[in-house]
Amino acid sequence: MSDSLYDHYKDTCQTQRAACSLRNRFFLALLILVFALGAFTFDPQGCEDAAAAVLAGYGFDLSVSGRVVQTLLWVGVLYTYIRYLQLMTTIERDYLYLNKIERELKGQGCLIDREGTNYSMGWPLLSKAIDLLYKCFFIVLFEVVLFSKAIIEGFAINVFSLIDWTVLILFTALTVLYWIYLWEVNKAYDEMDVEVEDS
C-alpha cells in the first residue's frame, strides 16, 4: 500500500471535515440573515430598533434607516449564500474524490471504505432526508421568503430596490446552477455504482 496515498487520503478527510464545519456556520448565518430580512416585512420599526441596538452594542451610535439595513441584509444574504454554495460544492467534490482514493487504496490491499460503497450503498432513510433538507428544502424556503419580501417591497425604482432585486435574481440563478451541479454529481455517483457492479 502506498503510504503517500494513504497520508493524502487522511489529509483530504481532515480538509473535508473542516469544510463541513464551515458549511454549517455559513448555513446558520444564512438562516439568521434570511429570518431577519423576513422579520422586516412584519415589524419594520421593531427590526430597525433592534438593528440600532445591535450597532450600539458594537459602539456605533448611528441612526440608520431601516431601508439601508434591509439592503445590507440582502447583500449579506447573497455573500453568505455564495460562500455556502462554494463549501457545498467542495464537499460534494471531496466525497467523489475520497471515493476514488478509497478504490485505489482497495486495489493496493487497504480495506478503507468510509466514503465509498458502504456509505453510498447503505444510506439509511434519515441520511437521505437530511441531505434533501440541506440541498433542496431550506434553499426553496429561502427563495420563498426572499421572493415574498421582494414582492411586498414593491417595484419602486430606486437604488435600494434595484440592489434587492439584483440580489434576488443572482440568488435564484445560483440556486438553479447549484441544482444542475447536483444533477451532474448524482450522475457521477451512478457511474461509480455501475463501475462497482462491473468490477
Side-chain angles (χ1 to χ4, degrees), residues 16 35 46 49 79 106 129 131 136 138 166 174 176 189 197:
Q16 188 191 38
F35 173 77
D49 294 342
Y79 171 77
K106 200 175 205 180
D131 196 52
C136 294
F138 278 108
T166 301
L174 287 170
V176 170
Y189 277 119
E197 289 170 7

Side-chain angles (χ1 to χ4, degrees), residues 133-157:
L133 283 173
Y134 261 119
K135 295 174 182 175
C136 294
F137 176 78
F138 278 108
I139 292 176
V140 169
L141 180 63
F142 296 154
E143 286 279 355
V144 168
V145 171
L146 295 177
F147 264 107
S148 301
K149 174 67 177 158
I151 290 189
I152 289 168
E153 281 180 6
F155 298 94
I157 306 246

Side-chain angles (χ1 to χ4, degrees), residues 165-186:
W165 278 96
T166 301
V167 167
L168 177 60
I169 290 165
L170 291 172
F171 191 100
T172 303
L174 287 170
T175 298
V176 170
L177 291 172
Y178 175 59
W179 285 341
I180 291 169
Y181 171 79
L182 289 179
W183 182 73
E184 294 291 336
V185 166
N186 287 331

